Amino acid sequence: MTGLRYVYAVCRPFGTPLQSQLTGVGGAPPALLRHHGLVAVVSQVPAADFSEEALKAHLEDLDWLAATARAHQGVIDALTTVTTPLPLRLATVFRDDSGVRVMIEAREEDFGRVLDRLEGRVEWGVKVYLEAEPAEPAPAAQPASGRDYLRRRRESTHASEERWQRAEAFARSLHERLSRLAEDSRLHAPQTSALSAEPGRNVLNAAYLVPRAHSEEFVELVDRTKDETSGIRVELTGPWAAYSFTGEATP
């Protein structure tokens, strides 16, 4: 194998082959590099795109980053169907196989500890959104006075605060219920609508580490909550490789 080595994940040896048509970053098929009882999932990438200088330039190219992240995630998703991967951060690149082996040896103890903890477990993501307030009907008449205008403003503000407090209470309750089914959880910062492109205000943005055997029960619990409170939307994603519980940066 020539070219630089792009590393997607580290895992224990596994017997089930990956999909024959699976391709990774740059269209290259992933390969398995075994070392010291661990397996690095790697593919060849050109230095023209993944040398240190080239990566610095590409980090400013959002389209390139998105395409690379999709290809990276495609390999991780395929691995998740056959084993428990420990995903590495986006654009983890080494000069050659020897560099990958040195990395494995340097982090072997940590890799083994995390893989033991993640074995047989997946990550589920849950987000709670407070839907946008319905448009208020036009007032039947203009305020009779400045005092009347201020009263209407106070009533509108009070109603908005009550909706937000209700959404926060729902999110806290849901997180507590889901945490009882999960082995671990992570509360991420709420996403802004500008970044997520999702309507409404993000109240809860959480990840849960769930044994595969309990995933059906976890999904059913989320589904039962979706209609509990009007004006609140619950979104479930997964199952994913356990990005939030590996100590590695997500792509």
Side-chain angles (χ1 to χ4, degrees), residues 11-22:
C11 51
R12 302 287 191 191
F14 56 95
T16 305
L18 292 172
Q19 307 159 17
S20 60
Q21 302 301 314
L22 179 65

Side-chain angles (χ1 to χ4, degrees), residues 137-155:
Q142 293 297 317
S145 64
R147 179 177 296 177
D148 188 32
Y149 171 79
L150 290 174
R151 177 184 58 78
R152 292 186 186 182
R153 291 284 296 174
R154 284 196 299 269
E155 289 175 351

Side-chain angles (χ1 to χ4, degrees), residues 163-177 203 232:
R163 293 179 74 250
W164 180 253
Q165 291 171 2
R166 186 170 68 251
E168 285 188 317
F170 172 85
R172 285 194 300 271
S173 173
L174 178 59
H175 178 62
E176 290 171 0
R177 285 179 281 173
V203 187
I232 293 176

Side-chain angles (χ1 to χ4, degrees), residues 51-74:
S51 67
E52 185 175 352
E53 290 302 316
L55 279 175
K56 286 180 181 178
H58 281 314
L59 291 177
E60 304 297 324
D61 184 344
L62 296 182
D63 291 337
W64 186 91
L65 283 175
T68 301
R70 285 194 299 270
H72 180 106
Q73 185 61 46

